[in-house]
């Protein structure tokens, strides 16, 4: 062995020995081999989890998904709220009172008699009255305001020249029909149209939120699977290092290995112990990352489980049609659907703003019948006879002189439409980029899998040959450990390629808007 090689080996031994002492890692004494570090914990419940079940759990338990569902429920209520403007309105009132008004009665010339029949001079003319009224109002989708009204009044007095009591019923209808501003079904139902479109936006946002959540769950699922495999790779590496240490110690006992070669093997064990500790810590962190997405809030005990994954990545030898994938993405991406609906909302807002710019011209008309009598019967007979009526018809005109607010609102509505259209164009470009990148990532990960599989086979062959050379005293433990480290790197690279392939495949489904349909998951509104 060359002097440079020996110096580097001794430096490595010294550094790892200090690291072992600082972290409390068990070290071997003279002739004693270090032992593998294993995580010990009390028995915990086991959660066997498929990928589809993990996604369903997340959709059911994740608070962000609940928020999106609540937003959709609110949007549904907004439709009924907008419809409420066309609900019939009932009005009613009742009242009564007594009056003691002063009254001056002048006598007729040359007599002591007054016209009212009351004593001459200042007197009191008491009266009582009772009245009630009721009616219905309604607005039609054309903008027509229609009202039906009935009024009833009964009055008693001491006057000799009035009916006593006096009963006065009346009933009628009034109509106001806009001819310019406020006219038309589209204008008057614009609020309902906007509410329905906002419901569609909320539904698209719910779909987007759930698809993103499903992607995050699948990503966490495969990352956890990768850390489990990384622990197994680390355990295999530690097992190989321990076997090398045992063989070296056996050779040392018969004088075929030196103390330095024993140290090299011990360093290899300590190094792989540390790698195993980090791999297990990464695995536990990845498990908690998955549990965070699928566990209901305030379920603290649900975190203390051992998660067993039932699914493994499956590599597909498939060909991709970029044009077809882009067409699917542009048709199914909920973000694009939401932007299309946002353009519709702004179009309805522009319709309202343009209508507000018009002058107001209303056709108004009404008809009422009146009755009069000293009793309910004869007063309503007169009312229903149709002999006593009033009618009116006319036009009302209103023109704001500058109409600054309405003009500015119309211009702003047009600009908002342009902005939403540009946002849609930008998102479409982003979708194209995402689809093309996702396909490239899948193909690259698939090629990496083939390469890393070959790398594992070559590294295994190298390690076998290096062990044979070590047994023949033609190689050192350091060189064997180097070949074993190459094999560990190759295995970890293969695990990383598997995870990257699975995540790239999930991202491909996400960018096409297909995350839930691929699992046949339907979301009820």
């Amino acid at each position: 062995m060359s002097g440079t090689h020996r110096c580097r080996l001794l430096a490595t031994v010294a550094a790892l020995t200090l690291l072992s002492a600082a972290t409390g890692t068990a070290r071997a004494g003279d002739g004693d081999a270090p032992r593998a570090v294993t995580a010990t914990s009390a028995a915990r419940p086991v959660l066997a989890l498929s990928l589809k079940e993990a996604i369903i759990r997340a959709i059911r338990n994740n608070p962000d998904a609940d928020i999106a569902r609540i937003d959709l429920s609110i949007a549904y209520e907004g439709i009924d709220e907008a419809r409420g403007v066309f609900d019939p309105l009932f009005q009613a009132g009742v009242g009564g009172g007594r009056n003691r008004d002063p009254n001056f009665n002048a006598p007729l010339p040359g007599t002591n008699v007054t016209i009212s029949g009351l004593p001459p001079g200042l007197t009191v003319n008491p009266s009582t009255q009772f009245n009630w009224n009721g009616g219905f109002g309604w607005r039609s989708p054309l903008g027509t305001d229609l009202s039906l009204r009935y009024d009833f009044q009964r009055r008693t007095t001491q006057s000799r020249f009035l009916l006593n009591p006096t009963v006065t019923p009346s009933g009628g209808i009034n109509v106001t029909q806009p001819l310019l501003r406020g006219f038309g079904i589209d204008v008057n139902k614009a609020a309902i149209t906007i509410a329905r479109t906002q419901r569609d936006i909320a539904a698209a946002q719910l779909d987007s939120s759930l698809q993103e959540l499903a992607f995050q769950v699948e990503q966490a699922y495969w990352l956890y699977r990768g850390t489990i495999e990384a622990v197994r790779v680390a355990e295999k590496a530690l097992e190989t290092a321990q076997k090398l240490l045992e063989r070296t110690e056996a050779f040392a006992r018969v004088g075929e290995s030196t103390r330095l070669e024993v140290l090299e093997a011990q360093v290899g064990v300590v190094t792989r112990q540390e790698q195993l500790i980090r791999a297990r810590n990464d695995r536990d962190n990845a498990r908690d990352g998955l549990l965070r997405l699928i566990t209901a809030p305030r379920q603290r005990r649900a975190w203390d489980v051992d998660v067993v994954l039932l699914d493994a990545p499956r590599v597909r030898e498939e060909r991709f049609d970029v044009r077809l994938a882009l067409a699917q993405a542009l048709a199914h991406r909920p973000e694009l659907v939401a932007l299309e609906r946002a353009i519709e909302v702004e179009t309805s807002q522009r319709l309202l703003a343009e209508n507000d710019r018009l002058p107001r011209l209303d056709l108004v008309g009404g008809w009422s019948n009146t009755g009069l009598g000293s009793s309910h019967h004869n007063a309503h007979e007169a009312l229903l006879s149709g002999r006593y009526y009033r009618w009116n018809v006319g036009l009302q005109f209103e023109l704001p002189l500058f109409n600054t607010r309405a003009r500015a609102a119309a211009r702003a509505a047009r600009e908002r439409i342009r902005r939403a259209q540009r946002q849609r164009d930008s998102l479409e470009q982003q979708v194209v980029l995402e689809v093309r990148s996702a396909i490239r990532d899948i193909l690259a990960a698939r090629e990496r899998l083939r390469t890393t599989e070959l790398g594992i086979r070559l590294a295994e062959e190298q390690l076998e040959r290096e062990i044979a050379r070590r047994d023949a005293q033609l190689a050192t433990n350091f060189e064997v450990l180097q070949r074993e480290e190459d094999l560990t790197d190759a295995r970890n690279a293969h695990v990383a390629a598997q995870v990257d392939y699975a995540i790239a495949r999930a991202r491909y489904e996400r960018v096409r808007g297909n995350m839930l349909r691929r699992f046949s998951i339907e979301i009820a509104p």
Side-chain angles (χ1 to χ4, degrees), residues 299-347:
Q299 299 294 324
R300 301 293 181 260
R301 293 184 178 179
W303 292 70
D304 297 324
V305 296
D306 288 327
V307 180
V308 176
L309 304 184
L310 302 180
D311 292 328
R314 296 179 181 178
V315 180
R316 305 177 185 177
E317 293 295 332
E318 55 186 332
R319 301 176 66 88
F320 293 96
D321 187 334
V322 177
R323 291 185 178 180
L324 177 60
L326 286 175
Q328 292 171 338
L330 295 176
H332 298 141
R333 279 290 289 270
E335 297 87 353
L336 284 171
V337 173
L339 272 178
E340 291 289 348
R341 298 298 179 268
I343 294 174
E344 295 176 10
V345 169
E346 297 301 340
T347 302

Side-chain angles (χ1 to χ4, degrees), residues 484-513:
E484 190 279 328
E485 187 173 345
D486 292 341
L487 175 58
T488 299
D489 291 342
R491 286 171 174 168
N492 282 327
H494 186 66
V495 170
Q498 286 181 320
V499 172
D500 290 345
Y501 173 84
I503 293 177
R505 199 67 183 72
R507 183 175 290 108
Y508 174 68
E509 300 295 345
R510 172 67 183 96
V511 299
R512 290 194 304 144

Side-chain angles (χ1 to χ4, degrees), residues 138-181:
W138 176 67
R139 169 169 289 185
S140 78
L142 280 174
T144 309
D145 285 323
L146 175 68
S147 64
L148 300 172
R149 187 174 180 85
Y150 172 81
D151 293 281
F152 174 85
Q153 185 180 60
R154 185 178 186 278
R155 187 170 184 267
T156 60
T157 180
Q158 293 183 356
S159 175
R160 298 178 183 179
F161 296 93
L162 297 174
L163 288 175
N164 194 20
T166 302
V167 178
T168 310
S170 66
I173 180 172
N174 291 296
V175 179
T176 300
Q177 174 60 60
L179 301 178
L180 292 176
R181 189 196 307 171

